[in-house]
Structure formats: structure tokens, C-alpha cells
Amino acid sequence: MAFDANRPDLTLGVIGTGAMGRGIVQVAAAGGMRVMMTDSRAGAAQEAREFVEKMILRAAEKGSMTKDDAAAAVNRVSVVGGPADMKPCHIVVEAIVENLEAKQQLFAQLEDTVSPDCILATNTSSLSVTTIASKLKTPQRFAGLHFFNPVPLMRLVEVIEGLRTEDWVTEALMVVGKRMTREPVRLKDAPGFLVNQVGRGFTLEASHLVYEGISNFADVDRVMRDVGGFRMGPFELMELTGLDVTHPASELIYHQFFQEPRYRPNLIMRSRYEAGVLGRKSKRGFYDYDAEMKAIVPPETPAPKTRPEAVWVSAAEPRGQATLLELLKKLGTAVESGAKPSGKALILVTPVGEDATTCAVEQGLDPRRTVAVDTLFPLAKRRTVMGTPLTDPSYRDAAHGLLAADGVPVTVCRDSPGFIAQRIVAMIVNIGCSIAQSRTAEPADIDKAVTLGLNYPNGPFKFGDVLGADRVYRVLSSMYRIYGDPRYRPTIWMTRRARLGVSLLTPEP
Ligand code: NAI
């Protein structure tokens, strides 16, 4: 099909002019397209048009476009009575209510209205593109065009191929996305598409470890910000989005993937969702709020003044040992040099994916004196430590005091395979690998989409390269071994690349 997505008179129809639809109208008009918009609620499209006009004129006042360009963009937008008036459109994007029947009904009507080579697209956030298209006479011209909220600020757009979508449709939508000054990423239809799938790794694994009593909301948020480099912790993020959005999306993705354990939600989220404890919007969530709606964050445990009498560091993980010895040297701490710890020494281990208990048992160490330190992530802003269930509190406090001696905060969590950051990041990387393995998207596109759509410091593959594919693989393998839960099984994509000693980005011919 010869479809010219670059034609200057390209006309886009937008149906549903709520939060998303109006944003799509704005970027399309600013990108030089003519836009016809409509909404089933009387007056809604006109309201949205006025809103778009205000936004475009404000952009001109701020200098991001000329006044003439802004006026021309506003003139390209028109309100029409309904889908039956969309005949002149080359592409129609739907952003109506998130309901399968409503969307299928709308597209059935549109299909009989527009020309045979008009592209039909949905902005659905959670329904299957293939399923929406299944009722069409011409599913080959149907695709997903998934924007993020707020559209003018979020540059990512996922261009989603349904099972029967033809290439010319996806290619045209990629061009249209670029004309809208977006960063389009191409992928195949899958539950949660790309970004919402990867996002489960962050929020669900965080909830799992709080559910298990390993840590609390505030500490997990602190660790993921300071250690993982995330702009916001997983619970802070869910506070903003609201569990009324996050939890149903998680349940849906889990069931759409036939109960894949990687996406399994847990009771931390569901019970809050059912109790209406949703986050900021319900004035109570993982955090409480003061009168000014500022989150009340429980304070950190202050660093104890105590220090260990002697310190010994296990050599079982040579890289971790070297990192920790370097830090202890900076802190001015003498470390025992024997192959075994002396009778009173604090025993420090540096596991990759193991818990402190496994280290103590398998290395034949005294579990009452064993404390594990996470050395997989940078130690400059925060350190994470954990003991075995038998670790004497005086030894745990001595380790805490010692590692905080230079003023860097230390988070103490309960025994956990993978501490906090190791396991959350490993899950993100593993889900990225499963998206690549299923050929849903290319590794480089997965990283691009995740950094743009979720604002993570790295995409899954970059994280894998920074931490080392072999070490992320070991985190997951150890977790899988210790928990016996297939949730943690490494994907075959990761396993092969880790065993071959190559980057996770390595494609297959
Ligand atoms: P919204 O509720 O702000 O707007 C929906 C609009 O569609 C309303 O103005 C409503 O009057 C209109 N509408 C409903 N049924 C209609 C019909 N049959 N024909 C014409 N107009 C109709 O919803 P929002 O947030 O803009 O979401 C729209 C779509 O975009 C949904 O499919 C949603 O899942 C998806 N989406 C939402 C995101 C978000 O963060 N809000 C992000 C990405 C996608």
C-alpha cells in the first residue's frame, strides 16, 4: 500500500478528547498535521479545542515556536460532529473510554466511514490491539499508537503491531510519530506492551519484598533512589499514579500472560486497593500525608556509635571482597588477613543474589556474627546491609556504625536473597530480556522506551551491562535456588548471554 505519511496535508482524526486525546491533538497540530476531533460528550471536543489552543499559544509565548507557527497550528484543528464526519482523515486515532466493546463498536462504525486505505489506531493502555482489531473487516490497517501522559511532555510513543497489522501501517505510524516530535518505538502486541511490562519489575518486586517483611516502604524508596539511581522509589511512584490504576493493570498483565509468575501481584497492593488506600488521591497510601499533602516519611534508624572489635571479610566473592576492602580502607578500618575469622571478629560477606544465611551456612561461618553488605551497586550515597536471623544485634549494629562512619547512610534490611536493589533491578533486566526473547521488541528499543517512558536511570539492557550480565544472572539464579519460585528463573535470553560472557544486547542472527 502506498501511504504517504509525509504528505503536507495529512489529516488525523482524534476520537475522545479527554486527557489523552487533547494531548494527541496538540502534538499533531504542532507537528504540521490537520486534525479533526470529536467526543461523545456534548461540548467536550470544543472545550478540548480551546484547551489545545491555549497550550499552543502558551508554547509560542515561551518561545518554543513562533507566533505564526502557533496560529497556523491552531487553525489546523477543527471540531466535527462525530465519527461519521471523519471521511477526509488519512489516520484516525481513538482515545475513548478503556472498554473493549466501546472501542470495537467505534471502529466498526469508522471502518464503514473512512476510505479503505485510512489507518485506524487505538491509544488503549491495557487492551490487546489484536483483540480490538478482531471484529474489523480490515484488521491489517489497524495498530496501536500508545502515548504517555501528559502527551506533550512524554516523548515516547509505542507503535504496536497487532497480529494482522501490515508493515505499511506500522511504518506510516512511525513517521507520523516523528512528525509529532515524538520518539516512536516499534513493538508487537503483548500484555502491558513494552513499558508497562517492564514497570512491573520495579513495583511488584518492591511489594513482594515488603510483603515478606524484608523492609518497609520508606527504606525501599530510599535504597532505590540512592543506590539504584531511580528518580523516585517504587512506592513513591505508586503513590502518585494511584493503586486504582497500578493494581488492576498488574492483575490484568498477570492474567493476560496466563499467570506468568514474573508478573504475580501480591496482597500488599490488593488489600490497599480494596480498602481504598490508593495513594495521594485518597490522602492515604503507603505514606500518610500532612495538612499540606506532604508525605510523612518515617525517619531512618540513626547510625549506632558502636564499632566492631575486629573485622574479617569473606573472599567467596572476590569482586565484592575487593570493593568492600577498598571502602573499609577509606574508613580507616583494619581488616583481619587470616583465611578464617578470629573468635570475636565481625564477619562480612558480599553476596550476589544470596541471603546472609546461605552465605553463613555454605561458607561455614558463624551466623551470629555474619552481616552481608551489598557491593553490586555504588556505595557512595547509601549502603545496604542484612544479617541472618541469628545475627547478634550488637554485631549488626557494629556493622551499621562502621559502614556509616563517613556519614553515608546505611539501610538495614532483614535477610533477603538479593538485598533490595539487586533483586528489583534483576527483575527489571529479566523482564527486558523476556521481551527481547519473545521478539516483541529489539533490545535497543526496549532500553530507549524504558528510559523515556519510565524515566529509569538505565534501560534493562544497559543495567545488565553496567552490573555485568553474569552477575545479574547469578542474582536471579540464586534467588530461584533459594526460593524455589519460578518467578525468579532467569530467561533463556539472559542465561545464554551470561554463559557466553557477552552483552545482553547481543542479538541472534
Ligand atoms: P478520559 O476519560 O480523560 O477521556 C476519554 C474521553 O472519551 C472523554 O472525553 C469521553 O467523553 C470520551 N468518550 C468516551 N466514550 C466515547 C465514545 N464512544 N465516542 C467518543 N468519545 C467517547 O480518558 P483518557 O485518560 O484520556 O484515556 C483515553 C484512552 O487512552 C483510554 O483507552 C486509556 O486507557 C488510554 N490511555 C490513558 C492514559 C492515561 O494516563 N490517562 C495513558 C495512555 C493511554
Side-chain angles (χ1 to χ4, degrees), residues 443-454:
D445 283 342
I446 297 170
D447 272 5
K448 178 172 157 183
V450 167
T451 45
L452 285 173
L454 294 170

Side-chain angles (χ1 to χ4, degrees), residues 109-132:
Q109 185 189 353
L110 267 175
E111 197 174 26
D112 292 334
T113 304
V114 296
S115 74
D117 55 357
C118 171
I119 292 175
L120 302 174
T122 176
N123 181 49
T124 180
S125 52
S126 62
L127 300 169
S128 154
V129 168
T130 304
T131 309
I132 300 175

Side-chain angles (χ1 to χ4, degrees), residues 215-224 287 300 411-412 420:
S215 188
N216 57 63
F217 308 128
D219 275 350
V220 172
D221 281 346
R222 289 183 187 108
V223 168
M224 294 318 289
Y287 294 99
E300 293 205 61
T411 298
V412 182
I420 295 172

Side-chain angles (χ1 to χ4, degrees), residues 15-16 18-20 39-40 95-98 103 123 125 146-147 149:
I15 305 182
M20 297 304 289
D39 195 287
S40 60
I96 69 166
V97 59
E98 186 74 341
K103 289 188 194 287
N123 181 49
S125 52
H146 183 217
F147 292 85
N149 194 13

Side-chain angles (χ1 to χ4, degrees), residues 14 16-17 22 37-52 77-80:
V14 176
T17 58
R22 61 183 60 189
M37 65 202 282
T38 190
D39 195 287
S40 60
R41 185 170 63 80
Q46 190 52 41
E47 252 169 54
R49 191 193 181 281
E50 282 156 23
F51 177 84
V52 168
V77 180
S78 59
V79 171
V80 297

